[in-house]
Amino acid sequence: PAEQEKLLAMMGQVAQAPNHIFGMLTDVDMSFPPVQMPDGTTAELTEGTYSQFIRSDSRDVRKSAFDGIMNTYGSFGSTIAATYNGSVQNDVFQARARHYATARDARMEPLEIPTSVYDNLISEVHAAIPVLNEYLALRKALMGLDELHMYDLYTPMVKNFHMELSYDKAFDLVLEGLKPMGEDYLAKLREARVGGWIDVYPSKGKSSGAFSDVHPYVLLNHNDNLSDTFTIAHELGHSMHSFYSNTNQPAPKSDYSLFVAEVASTCNEATMMRHLLKTFADDKKALAYLLNHFLEQFRTTVFRQTMFAEFELIAHTMAEQGQPLTRESLSKAYYELNQKYYGAVCTVDENIANEWMRIPHFYRSYYVYVYATGLCAAVSLSDKILSEGASAVRDYRKFLSAGCAVPPIDALKLAGIDMSSPEPIRRALGVFKDTLAQFKAVIMA
């Protein structure tokens, strides 16, 4: 009823309080111990520099950064647990006020996404954990470690590889890799290149990262390497999705669901990856790097984000059943999930139990799963485009043009991908298995 909706709307700022509190605590009040560097100096540890340190060749640096981050969050554990509990309790309240059976239903039903999509993702990823273990065992062997710890999972397995790619060379490589998308698609990419769509290089005062927005314009912070070449392909995927949607739909229906937002961008990456694997088939070092890059995409996006989604489901189910969400109960659940996903090969460090405390995505509930489903859909779409050619491209264009004129599940069905079925997830995880076999063959040749 209108009066109740008005009352719920008046609670907006109160409902956002846990997210704001978490942001102020972690961005302003929290500081981390310095990292000990191999030359005896120290370096500042922040959330921004952590990704650099956790990839370091020095195991001592990795461990120092890992312990510094995880133990600092742990020292605020009770406060963060209370903050997250407030967020979850708000989700449960909002769901019950609107007569949904669960908080998950309240998030997914308005978007017309069946909860079976969520459940299929978790069950299919569970079934693929033995392949993940095989990959982790290979990492352990290649790194020459007696024990593989959680702080060993991000350092590159292929050492001393660098490909110098100016922006022009990188863009040429993107155009070449995306030829299967069709000449009209490439023509629009060329227009983007020279037509002022793209802000390319870092500059003072410019936002970090990369994204596509509005026109669709593209913000990059390009460095001359292969990783940033993939970023060009990724962000142009977003732009092309928006271009086709804006061109073919009236403004109220031109925006597309978050569920499909990462599909076009990742489909570009996956399609370009297949081209690069052929292009560098005779360059063992480049081939190994590319295959490892693809494998890491699966590990960090499909497996890791699914584990996050599973944690959210556990936390919300506990709250809905009246169980207390405390530091102890949440950390126990998170540690047990890490044991399930990594424990067959890794030494699951005790303080990984604190990692849930640093994930800001949890304050926007039930959406991290779309990273995993998006990658699976994109890999399946790329497979179809490369194997079926023009007919698959025509279907893909229908998906790009759909906006929100149809539900997101139906938009993907226009391209021949049914995410209400486990098949696209199974197919994508099959690509992960095949890529691992290729990687083994290359590094052992």
Short mmCIF file of all heavy atoms in Angstrom, two decimals, residues 232-291:
data_model
loop_
_atom_site.label_atom_id
_atom_site.label_comp_id
_atom_site.label_asym_id
_atom_site.label_seq_id
_atom_site.Cartn_x
_atom_site.Cartn_y
_atom_site.Cartn_z
N ILE A 232 40.95 -2.44 -22.96
CA ILE A 232 40.34 -1.74 -24.10
C ILE A 232 39.18 -2.58 -24.64
O ILE A 232 38.07 -2.07 -24.86
CB ILE A 232 41.37 -1.50 -25.22
CG1 ILE A 232 42.46 -0.54 -24.74
CG2 ILE A 232 40.68 -0.93 -26.47
CD1 ILE A 232 43.64 -0.43 -25.71
N ALA A 233 39.43 -3.87 -24.89
CA ALA A 233 38.39 -4.75 -25.41
C ALA A 233 37.20 -4.81 -24.46
O ALA A 233 36.04 -4.78 -24.88
CB ALA A 233 38.95 -6.15 -25.65
N HIS A 234 37.48 -4.90 -23.16
CA HIS A 234 36.44 -5.02 -22.14
C HIS A 234 35.53 -3.79 -22.15
O HIS A 234 34.30 -3.90 -22.23
CB HIS A 234 37.09 -5.21 -20.77
CG HIS A 234 36.13 -5.39 -19.65
ND1 HIS A 234 35.81 -6.63 -19.14
CD2 HIS A 234 35.40 -4.50 -18.93
CE1 HIS A 234 34.92 -6.49 -18.17
NE2 HIS A 234 34.66 -5.19 -18.02
N GLU A 235 36.15 -2.61 -22.04
CA GLU A 235 35.36 -1.38 -21.93
C GLU A 235 34.60 -1.08 -23.23
O GLU A 235 33.48 -0.56 -23.20
CB GLU A 235 36.24 -0.20 -21.54
CG GLU A 235 36.91 -0.34 -20.17
CD GLU A 235 35.93 -0.62 -19.04
OE1 GLU A 235 34.77 -0.17 -19.12
OE2 GLU A 235 36.33 -1.32 -18.08
N LEU A 236 35.19 -1.42 -24.37
CA LEU A 236 34.47 -1.24 -25.63
C LEU A 236 33.29 -2.19 -25.72
O LEU A 236 32.29 -1.89 -26.38
CB LEU A 236 35.42 -1.45 -26.82
CG LEU A 236 36.41 -0.31 -27.07
CD1 LEU A 236 37.40 -0.71 -28.15
CD2 LEU A 236 35.69 0.98 -27.46
N GLY A 237 33.37 -3.34 -25.06
CA GLY A 237 32.22 -4.24 -24.99
C GLY A 237 31.04 -3.58 -24.30
O GLY A 237 29.90 -3.65 -24.77
N HIS A 238 31.32 -2.91 -23.19
CA HIS A 238 30.27 -2.14 -22.51
C HIS A 238 29.70 -1.07 -23.44
O HIS A 238 28.48 -0.88 -23.53
CB HIS A 238 30.84 -1.44 -21.27
CG HIS A 238 31.08 -2.34 -20.10
ND1 HIS A 238 30.11 -3.15 -19.56
CD2 HIS A 238 32.20 -2.55 -19.35
CE1 HIS A 238 30.61 -3.81 -18.53
NE2 HIS A 238 31.88 -3.47 -18.39
N SER A 239 30.60 -0.35 -24.12
CA SER A 239 30.16 0.75 -24.98
C SER A 239 29.29 0.24 -26.13
O SER A 239 28.27 0.86 -26.47
CB SER A 239 31.37 1.49 -25.55
OG SER A 239 31.99 2.24 -24.53
N MET A 240 29.69 -0.88 -26.74
CA MET A 240 28.91 -1.42 -27.85
C MET A 240 27.55 -1.93 -27.38
O MET A 240 26.55 -1.79 -28.08
CB MET A 240 29.70 -2.51 -28.56
CG MET A 240 30.94 -2.00 -29.27
SD MET A 240 30.57 -0.72 -30.49
CE MET A 240 29.77 -1.70 -31.76
N HIS A 241 27.51 -2.50 -26.17
CA HIS A 241 26.24 -2.93 -25.59
C HIS A 241 25.31 -1.70 -25.46
O HIS A 241 24.15 -1.73 -25.88
CB HIS A 241 26.48 -3.57 -24.24
CG HIS A 241 25.33 -4.37 -23.72
ND1 HIS A 241 25.41 -5.13 -22.56
CD2 HIS A 241 24.06 -4.53 -24.17
CE1 HIS A 241 24.23 -5.71 -22.35
NE2 HIS A 241 23.40 -5.35 -23.30
N SER A 242 25.86 -0.63 -24.92
CA SER A 242 25.07 0.59 -24.74
C SER A 242 24.68 1.20 -26.09
O SER A 242 23.55 1.68 -26.26
CB SER A 242 25.84 1.61 -23.91
OG SER A 242 26.07 1.12 -22.61
N PHE A 243 25.61 1.18 -27.04
CA PHE A 243 25.31 1.75 -28.36
C PHE A 243 24.14 1.02 -29.01
O PHE A 243 23.18 1.65 -29.48
CB PHE A 243 26.55 1.67 -29.26
CG PHE A 243 26.24 1.98 -30.70
CD1 PHE A 243 26.04 3.28 -31.12
CD2 PHE A 243 26.10 0.95 -31.63
CE1 PHE A 243 25.73 3.56 -32.44
CE2 PHE A 243 25.78 1.22 -32.95
CZ PHE A 243 25.60 2.53 -33.36
N TYR A 244 24.20 -0.30 -29.07
CA TYR A 244 23.12 -1.05 -29.72
C TYR A 244 21.81 -0.92 -28.95
O TYR A 244 20.73 -0.82 -29.55
CB TYR A 244 23.52 -2.52 -29.85
CG TYR A 244 24.41 -2.78 -31.03
CD1 TYR A 244 25.77 -3.01 -30.86
CD2 TYR A 244 23.92 -2.80 -32.33
CE1 TYR A 244 26.60 -3.24 -31.94
CE2 TYR A 244 24.74 -3.03 -33.43
CZ TYR A 244 26.08 -3.25 -33.22
OH TYR A 244 26.91 -3.47 -34.30
N SER A 245 21.89 -0.92 -27.62
CA SER A 245 20.69 -0.77 -26.81
C SER A 245 20.06 0.61 -27.01
O SER A 245 18.85 0.75 -27.21
CB SER A 245 21.03 -1.00 -25.34
OG SER A 245 19.91 -0.87 -24.53
N ASN A 246 20.90 1.67 -26.97
CA ASN A 246 20.40 3.04 -27.15
C ASN A 246 19.82 3.25 -28.55
O ASN A 246 18.85 3.99 -28.74
CB ASN A 246 21.52 4.05 -26.92
CG ASN A 246 21.97 4.11 -25.47
OD1 ASN A 246 21.24 3.69 -24.58
ND2 ASN A 246 23.16 4.61 -25.25
N THR A 247 20.43 2.60 -29.55
CA THR A 247 20.00 2.77 -30.94
C THR A 247 18.67 2.08 -31.21
O THR A 247 17.84 2.58 -31.99
CB THR A 247 21.07 2.22 -31.89
OG1 THR A 247 22.31 2.91 -31.67
CG2 THR A 247 20.66 2.39 -33.35
N ASN A 248 18.44 0.95 -30.54
CA ASN A 248 17.29 0.12 -30.89
C ASN A 248 16.13 0.19 -29.91
O ASN A 248 15.07 -0.38 -30.17
CB ASN A 248 17.74 -1.34 -31.03
CG ASN A 248 18.59 -1.57 -32.26
OD1 ASN A 248 18.08 -1.71 -33.36
ND2 ASN A 248 19.91 -1.61 -32.07
N GLN A 249 16.32 0.88 -28.78
CA GLN A 249 15.25 0.96 -27.79
C GLN A 249 14.93 2.41 -27.46
O GLN A 249 15.84 3.26 -27.48
CB GLN A 249 15.65 0.22 -26.50
CG GLN A 249 15.91 -1.26 -26.66
CD GLN A 249 14.68 -2.04 -27.08
OE1 GLN A 249 13.56 -1.63 -26.81
NE2 GLN A 249 14.89 -3.18 -27.74
N PRO A 250 13.69 2.72 -27.11
CA PRO A 250 13.38 4.05 -26.60
C PRO A 250 14.08 4.26 -25.26
O PRO A 250 14.40 3.29 -24.56
CB PRO A 250 11.86 4.02 -26.44
CG PRO A 250 11.52 2.57 -26.30
CD PRO A 250 12.52 1.82 -27.13
N ALA A 251 14.31 5.50 -24.90
CA ALA A 251 15.11 5.82 -23.71
C ALA A 251 14.68 5.07 -22.45
O ALA A 251 15.53 4.54 -21.72
CB ALA A 251 15.09 7.33 -23.47
N PRO A 252 13.36 4.95 -22.16
CA PRO A 252 12.99 4.26 -20.92
C PRO A 252 13.36 2.78 -20.90
O PRO A 252 13.41 2.17 -19.83
CB PRO A 252 11.45 4.42 -20.88
CG PRO A 252 11.17 5.60 -21.74
CD PRO A 252 12.19 5.55 -22.83
N LYS A 253 13.61 2.20 -22.08
CA LYS A 253 13.93 0.77 -22.15
C LYS A 253 15.35 0.50 -22.63
O LYS A 253 15.70 -0.63 -22.92
CB LYS A 253 12.94 0.05 -23.07
CG LYS A 253 11.52 0.03 -22.53
CD LYS A 253 10.59 -0.83 -23.39
CE LYS A 253 9.19 -0.88 -22.78
NZ LYS A 253 8.28 -1.74 -23.56
N SER A 254 16.17 1.54 -22.70
CA SER A 254 17.51 1.37 -23.26
C SER A 254 18.53 0.87 -22.25
O SER A 254 19.55 0.30 -22.64
CB SER A 254 17.99 2.69 -23.86
OG SER A 254 18.12 3.68 -22.85
N ASP A 255 18.28 1.09 -20.97
CA ASP A 255 19.24 0.64 -19.95
C ASP A 255 19.05 -0.85 -19.73
O ASP A 255 17.93 -1.37 -19.75
CB ASP A 255 19.02 1.40 -18.64
CG ASP A 255 20.23 1.33 -17.74
OD1 ASP A 255 21.30 0.90 -18.21
OD2 ASP A 255 20.11 1.71 -16.56
N TYR A 256 20.15 -1.56 -19.50
CA TYR A 256 20.05 -3.01 -19.34
C TYR A 256 20.36 -3.41 -17.90
O TYR A 256 20.99 -2.67 -17.14
CB TYR A 256 20.98 -3.74 -20.31
CG TYR A 256 22.34 -3.12 -20.50
CD1 TYR A 256 23.38 -3.34 -19.60
CD2 TYR A 256 22.59 -2.28 -21.58
CE1 TYR A 256 24.62 -2.76 -19.78
CE2 TYR A 256 23.83 -1.69 -21.77
CZ TYR A 256 24.85 -1.94 -20.86
OH TYR A 256 26.07 -1.35 -21.03
N SER A 257 19.92 -4.59 -17.55
CA SER A 257 20.03 -5.09 -16.18
C SER A 257 21.48 -5.34 -15.78
O SER A 257 22.32 -5.72 -16.60
CB SER A 257 19.22 -6.40 -16.05
OG SER A 257 19.55 -7.08 -14.86
N LEU A 258 21.76 -5.19 -14.48
CA LEU A 258 23.07 -5.52 -13.95
C LEU A 258 23.42 -6.98 -14.23
O LEU A 258 24.59 -7.34 -14.39
CB LEU A 258 23.09 -5.26 -12.44
CG LEU A 258 24.41 -5.43 -11.71
CD1 LEU A 258 25.44 -4.43 -12.20
CD2 LEU A 258 24.22 -5.29 -10.20
N PHE A 259 22.41 -7.83 -14.34
CA PHE A 259 22.64 -9.26 -14.57
C PHE A 259 23.39 -9.50 -15.87
O PHE A 259 24.18 -10.45 -15.98
CB PHE A 259 21.30 -10.01 -14.58
CG PHE A 259 21.43 -11.49 -14.76
CD1 PHE A 259 21.88 -12.30 -13.72
CD2 PHE A 259 21.10 -12.10 -15.96
CE1 PHE A 259 22.00 -13.67 -13.88
CE2 PHE A 259 21.21 -13.46 -16.13
CZ PHE A 259 21.66 -14.25 -15.08
N VAL A 260 23.16 -8.65 -16.87
CA VAL A 260 23.82 -8.84 -18.17
C VAL A 260 24.90 -7.79 -18.44
O VAL A 260 25.53 -7.80 -19.49
CB VAL A 260 22.79 -8.82 -19.33
CG1 VAL A 260 21.80 -9.95 -19.19
CG2 VAL A 260 22.06 -7.48 -19.41
N ALA A 261 25.15 -6.91 -17.47
CA ALA A 261 26.04 -5.77 -17.72
C ALA A 261 27.47 -6.18 -18.05
O ALA A 261 28.16 -5.47 -18.79
CB ALA A 261 26.03 -4.83 -16.51
N GLU A 262 27.94 -7.30 -17.49
CA GLU A 262 29.32 -7.72 -17.75
C GLU A 262 29.45 -8.74 -18.87
O GLU A 262 30.55 -9.19 -19.17
CB GLU A 262 29.92 -8.31 -16.46
CG GLU A 262 30.13 -7.31 -15.33
CD GLU A 262 31.13 -6.21 -15.68
OE1 GLU A 262 32.12 -6.50 -16.41
OE2 GLU A 262 30.92 -5.06 -15.25
N VAL A 263 28.34 -9.08 -19.51
CA VAL A 263 28.38 -10.14 -20.52
C VAL A 263 29.09 -9.66 -21.79
O VAL A 263 30.02 -10.31 -22.28
CB VAL A 263 26.96 -10.65 -20.85
CG1 VAL A 263 27.00 -11.61 -22.04
CG2 VAL A 263 26.36 -11.34 -19.63
N ALA A 264 28.67 -8.53 -22.35
CA ALA A 264 29.26 -8.06 -23.60
C ALA A 264 30.73 -7.73 -23.44
O ALA A 264 31.54 -8.01 -24.34
CB ALA A 264 28.49 -6.83 -24.10
N SER A 265 31.10 -7.13 -22.33
CA SER A 265 32.50 -6.76 -22.10
C SER A 265 33.38 -8.01 -22.00
O SER A 265 34.47 -8.08 -22.60
CB SER A 265 32.62 -5.92 -20.82
OG SER A 265 32.03 -6.59 -19.73
N THR A 266 32.90 -9.00 -21.26
CA THR A 266 33.69 -10.21 -21.07
C THR A 266 33.68 -11.08 -22.32
O THR A 266 34.66 -11.78 -22.61
CB THR A 266 33.16 -11.01 -19.86
OG1 THR A 266 33.01 -10.13 -18.74
CG2 THR A 266 34.12 -12.11 -19.47
N CYS A 267 32.59 -11.02 -23.11
CA CYS A 267 32.54 -11.73 -24.38
C CYS A 267 33.61 -11.19 -25.32
O CYS A 267 34.29 -11.96 -26.03
CB CYS A 267 31.16 -11.61 -25.00
SG CYS A 267 30.95 -12.57 -26.51
N ASN A 268 33.80 -9.87 -25.34
CA ASN A 268 34.88 -9.29 -26.12
C ASN A 268 36.24 -9.85 -25.70
O ASN A 268 37.07 -10.22 -26.53
CB ASN A 268 34.89 -7.77 -25.95
CG ASN A 268 34.12 -7.04 -27.02
OD1 ASN A 268 33.40 -7.65 -27.81
ND2 ASN A 268 34.24 -5.72 -27.04
N GLU A 269 36.48 -9.88 -24.39
CA GLU A 269 37.75 -10.40 -23.87
C GLU A 269 37.96 -11.86 -24.27
O GLU A 269 39.05 -12.25 -24.70
CB GLU A 269 37.80 -10.27 -22.35
CG GLU A 269 38.08 -8.89 -21.83
CD GLU A 269 38.46 -8.93 -20.36
OE1 GLU A 269 39.62 -9.24 -20.05
OE2 GLU A 269 37.58 -8.66 -19.52
N ALA A 270 36.92 -12.67 -24.09
CA ALA A 270 37.04 -14.10 -24.39
C ALA A 270 37.29 -14.33 -25.87
O ALA A 270 38.09 -15.20 -26.26
CB ALA A 270 35.78 -14.83 -23.94
N THR A 271 36.62 -13.55 -26.71
CA THR A 271 36.80 -13.69 -28.16
C THR A 271 38.21 -13.27 -28.57
O THR A 271 38.87 -13.93 -29.38
CB THR A 271 35.75 -12.84 -28.91
OG1 THR A 271 34.44 -13.25 -28.49
CG2 THR A 271 35.86 -13.03 -30.41
N MET A 272 38.69 -12.17 -28.00
CA MET A 272 40.04 -11.71 -28.30
C MET A 272 41.08 -12.70 -27.79
O MET A 272 42.11 -12.93 -28.44
CB MET A 272 40.27 -10.33 -27.71
CG MET A 272 41.51 -9.66 -28.29
SD MET A 272 41.75 -7.99 -27.66
CE MET A 272 42.65 -8.33 -26.17
N MET A 273 40.80 -13.30 -26.63
CA MET A 273 41.73 -14.28 -26.07
C MET A 273 41.95 -15.43 -27.04
O MET A 273 43.09 -15.88 -27.27
CB MET A 273 41.19 -14.80 -24.73
CG MET A 273 41.98 -15.96 -24.14
SD MET A 273 43.69 -15.53 -23.70
CE MET A 273 43.42 -14.64 -22.16
N ARG A 274 40.87 -15.95 -27.64
CA ARG A 274 41.01 -17.06 -28.58
C ARG A 274 41.87 -16.66 -29.77
O ARG A 274 42.67 -17.45 -30.27
CB ARG A 274 39.64 -17.53 -29.07
CG ARG A 274 38.65 -17.85 -27.95
CD ARG A 274 39.18 -18.91 -26.99
NE ARG A 274 38.27 -19.10 -25.89
CZ ARG A 274 37.19 -19.87 -25.93
NH1 ARG A 274 36.88 -20.52 -27.03
NH2 ARG A 274 36.43 -20.01 -24.86
N HIS A 275 41.70 -15.42 -30.24
CA HIS A 275 42.52 -14.93 -31.36
C HIS A 275 43.99 -14.86 -30.95
O HIS A 275 44.88 -15.29 -31.71
CB HIS A 275 42.04 -13.55 -31.79
CG HIS A 275 42.98 -12.85 -32.72
ND1 HIS A 275 43.14 -13.22 -34.05
CD2 HIS A 275 43.84 -11.80 -32.52
CE1 HIS A 275 44.04 -12.45 -34.62
NE2 HIS A 275 44.48 -11.58 -33.72
N LEU A 276 44.27 -14.35 -29.76
CA LEU A 276 45.65 -14.21 -29.32
C LEU A 276 46.32 -15.57 -29.12
O LEU A 276 47.51 -15.73 -29.39
CB LEU A 276 45.70 -13.41 -28.01
CG LEU A 276 45.32 -11.93 -28.13
CD1 LEU A 276 45.33 -11.27 -26.75
CD2 LEU A 276 46.25 -11.19 -29.07
N LEU A 277 45.55 -16.54 -28.66
CA LEU A 277 46.12 -17.89 -28.48
C LEU A 277 46.57 -18.46 -29.82
O LEU A 277 47.57 -19.19 -29.89
CB LEU A 277 45.09 -18.81 -27.81
CG LEU A 277 44.77 -18.49 -26.35
CD1 LEU A 277 43.64 -19.39 -25.85
CD2 LEU A 277 46.01 -18.65 -25.46
N LYS A 278 45.85 -18.14 -30.88
CA LYS A 278 46.27 -18.58 -32.22
C LYS A 278 47.45 -17.75 -32.72
O LYS A 278 48.42 -18.26 -33.29
CB LYS A 278 45.11 -18.46 -33.20
CG LYS A 278 43.99 -19.46 -32.98
CD LYS A 278 42.88 -19.28 -34.01
CE LYS A 278 41.75 -20.27 -33.79
NZ LYS A 278 40.64 -20.06 -34.76
N THR A 279 47.39 -16.44 -32.49
CA THR A 279 48.43 -15.53 -32.98
C THR A 279 49.79 -15.87 -32.39
O THR A 279 50.82 -15.83 -33.07
CB THR A 279 48.07 -14.07 -32.63
OG1 THR A 279 46.81 -13.75 -33.22
CG2 THR A 279 49.13 -13.10 -33.13
N PHE A 280 49.80 -16.21 -31.09
CA PHE A 280 51.06 -16.48 -30.39
C PHE A 280 51.29 -17.98 -30.14
O PHE A 280 51.98 -18.36 -29.20
CB PHE A 280 51.10 -15.71 -29.07
CG PHE A 280 51.09 -14.22 -29.25
CD1 PHE A 280 49.93 -13.48 -29.04
CD2 PHE A 280 52.22 -13.55 -29.65
CE1 PHE A 280 49.91 -12.12 -29.22
CE2 PHE A 280 52.22 -12.18 -29.84
CZ PHE A 280 51.06 -11.45 -29.62
N ALA A 281 50.72 -18.79 -31.02
CA ALA A 281 50.81 -20.24 -30.84
C ALA A 281 52.25 -20.74 -30.81
O ALA A 281 52.55 -21.76 -30.18
CB ALA A 281 50.03 -20.95 -31.95
N ASP A 282 53.16 -20.03 -31.50
CA ASP A 282 54.56 -20.47 -31.56
C ASP A 282 55.45 -19.77 -30.53
O ASP A 282 56.66 -20.00 -30.51
CB ASP A 282 55.11 -20.22 -32.97
CG ASP A 282 54.38 -21.03 -34.03
OD1 ASP A 282 53.97 -22.17 -33.70
OD2 ASP A 282 54.21 -20.52 -35.15
N ASP A 283 54.87 -18.90 -29.72
CA ASP A 283 55.63 -18.18 -28.69
C ASP A 283 55.25 -18.78 -27.34
O ASP A 283 54.22 -18.41 -26.75
CB ASP A 283 55.29 -16.69 -28.76
CG ASP A 283 56.13 -15.85 -27.80
OD1 ASP A 283 56.61 -16.39 -26.78
OD2 ASP A 283 56.27 -14.64 -28.05
N LYS A 284 56.07 -19.68 -26.85
CA LYS A 284 55.73 -20.45 -25.65
C LYS A 284 55.49 -19.55 -24.44
O LYS A 284 54.54 -19.76 -23.68
CB LYS A 284 56.85 -21.45 -25.36
CG LYS A 284 56.58 -22.35 -24.16
CD LYS A 284 57.73 -23.32 -23.92
CE LYS A 284 57.51 -24.11 -22.64
NZ LYS A 284 58.65 -25.03 -22.37
N LYS A 285 56.32 -18.54 -24.27
CA LYS A 285 56.20 -17.66 -23.10
C LYS A 285 54.90 -16.86 -23.16
O LYS A 285 54.16 -16.76 -22.17
CB LYS A 285 57.40 -16.72 -23.04
CG LYS A 285 57.42 -15.81 -21.82
CD LYS A 285 57.77 -16.55 -20.54
CE LYS A 285 59.25 -16.55 -20.31
NZ LYS A 285 59.62 -17.11 -18.99
N ALA A 286 54.60 -16.30 -24.33
CA ALA A 286 53.37 -15.52 -24.49
C ALA A 286 52.14 -16.41 -24.33
O ALA A 286 51.15 -16.03 -23.70
CB ALA A 286 53.35 -14.85 -25.86
N LEU A 287 52.21 -17.61 -24.91
CA LEU A 287 51.09 -18.55 -24.82
C LEU A 287 50.82 -18.93 -23.37
O LEU A 287 49.67 -18.96 -22.92
CB LEU A 287 51.41 -19.78 -25.66
CG LEU A 287 50.24 -20.67 -26.08
CD1 LEU A 287 49.21 -19.89 -26.86
CD2 LEU A 287 50.75 -21.86 -26.90
N ALA A 288 51.88 -19.21 -22.62
CA ALA A 288 51.73 -19.56 -21.21
C ALA A 288 51.12 -18.40 -20.42
O ALA A 288 50.22 -18.60 -19.58
CB ALA A 288 53.08 -19.95 -20.62
N TYR A 289 51.57 -17.18 -20.72
CA TYR A 289 51.02 -16.00 -20.03
C TYR A 289 49.53 -15.85 -20.31
O TYR A 289 48.74 -15.62 -19.40
CB TYR A 289 51.77 -14.74 -20.48
CG TYR A 289 51.15 -13.47 -19.95
CD1 TYR A 289 51.49 -12.97 -18.70
CD2 TYR A 289 50.20 -12.77 -20.70
CE1 TYR A 289 50.91 -11.81 -18.20
CE2 TYR A 289 49.61 -11.61 -20.21
CZ TYR A 289 49.97 -11.13 -18.97
OH TYR A 289 49.38 -10.00 -18.48
N LEU A 290 49.15 -15.97 -21.58
CA LEU A 290 47.75 -15.80 -21.96
C LEU A 290 46.86 -16.86 -21.31
O LEU A 290 45.78 -16.55 -20.80
CB LEU A 290 47.62 -15.87 -23.48
CG LEU A 290 48.17 -14.66 -24.25
CD1 LEU A 290 48.32 -15.00 -25.73
CD2 LEU A 290 47.28 -13.45 -24.07
N LEU A 291 47.30 -18.10 -21.34
CA LEU A 291 46.52 -19.18 -20.75
C LEU A 291 46.37 -18.97 -19.24
O LEU A 291 45.29 -19.18 -18.67
CB LEU A 291 47.16 -20.53 -21.05
CG LEU A 291 47.08 -20.98 -22.51
CD1 LEU A 291 48.04 -22.14 -22.77
CD2 LEU A 291 45.66 -21.39 -22.88
#
